[in-house]
Amino acid sequence: MTQHNPDALRIQISETMVQKLGWMLLGIAVLLTIVGGFVSPIDDQGKPVLLLPDVKAVEDYRRSAQGWINEMTVLDGEISQLIASEQQGDFFLLSRAAQETLQHAVDLAQKVDRTKIPPIGMGLHEQVLSTVVCYLEAARCALRWVSTPDQENLNLAVEVLGEAQMMKSELETNQWLTTR
């Protein structure tokens, strides 16, 4: 049976090694702070956003909704341009533009519908989705007017586009989108 020497289990670290380790840890902390400062998202006031999972989900959804509103603005212009056209010129080009506008509206509606919604964002999502669906209907009415250019189809397209514009204006003032 052998006896264990208590001094044999001791690990000795020199003071210079501890100092080097301390400087390395300090350097790593400074480096991570600098990197964090550059990659952390910031709000409108320039303050960093705390990225807890629920906060990040809400912030991601809010940014998506703002992007969709921008897309709705583009879509609005496309539909307005179709409705304002005098049905003169190349019918094929006008028809193609109307189909592309309708496809743009369909793509946007699908994008909105397929997005994961944080539970707190359900009300905003319903408002965004109903607005997008109204723009989809406006694009469909504009296509109908291009394919059958009568006053009734024009009036319907103008009316539905007006409803969509009103809904978008209400959406733009939604508290979830205007505040952080």
Side-chain angles (χ1 to χ4, degrees):
M1 185 173 222
T2 60
Q3 282 188 323
H4 293 288
N5 182 352
D7 291 335
L9 296 176
R10 222 182 255 176
I11 298 175
Q12 292 187 1
I13 300 176
S14 71
E15 190 176 317
T16 58
M17 184 66 99
V18 171
Q19 285 178 345
K20 286 180 183 179
L21 183 62
W23 282 112
M24 284 180 19
L25 290 175
L26 179 63
I28 290 171
V30 168
L31 179 68
L32 290 177
T33 301
I34 292 170
V35 169
F38 283 110
V39 299
S40 294
I42 55 173
D43 62 13
D44 294 335
Q45 289 81 33
K47 297 178 183 173
V49 176
L50 183 60
L51 291 180
L52 297 172
D54 350 348
V55 174
K56 183 178 180 339
V58 170
E59 181 62 18
D60 288 347
Y61 186 80
R62 191 182 72 74
R63 285 186 179 154
S64 294
Q66 288 174 332
W68 298 328
I69 290 172
N70 292 339
E71 279 194 63
M72 284 184 237
T73 301
V74 171
L75 192 57
D76 188 288
E78 292 171 4
I79 296 168
S80 295
Q81 189 173 8
L82 285 172
I83 291 173
S85 67
E86 295 291 323
Q87 291 289 339
Q88 295 174 352
D90 191 352
F91 175 75
F92 176 74
L93 288 176
L94 190 59
S95 174
R96 185 172 183 186
Q99 290 173 8
E100 288 173 356
T101 299
L102 180 63
Q103 188 60 50
H104 183 191
V106 167
D107 293 344
L108 181 57
Q110 288 175 341
K111 202 183 306 183
V112 170
D113 191 45
R114 293 178 180 161
T115 299
K116 185 176 180 188
I117 312 147
I120 193 96
M122 290 300 292
L124 174 61
H125 183 72
E126 289 172 7
Q127 188 179 8
V128 170
L129 190 57
S130 62
T131 305
V132 168
V133 167
C134 194
Y135 270 105
L136 177 61
E137 181 62 19
R140 194 179 64 75
C141 289
L143 178 64
R144 183 184 309 139
W145 181 74
V146 166
S147 63
T148 311
D150 62 21
Q151 192 61 42
E152 183 180 325
N153 286 338
L154 176 60
N155 292 344
L156 183 61
V158 169
E159 179 184 331
V160 175
L161 180 60
E163 288 175 33
Q165 291 168 336
M166 218 168 51
M167 292 174 77
K168 185 171 84 65
S169 291
E170 290 173 13
L171 179 62
E172 290 170 330
T173 61
N174 185 302
Q175 178 183 357
W176 283 96
L177 296 173
T178 57
T179 60
R180 291 174 154 281

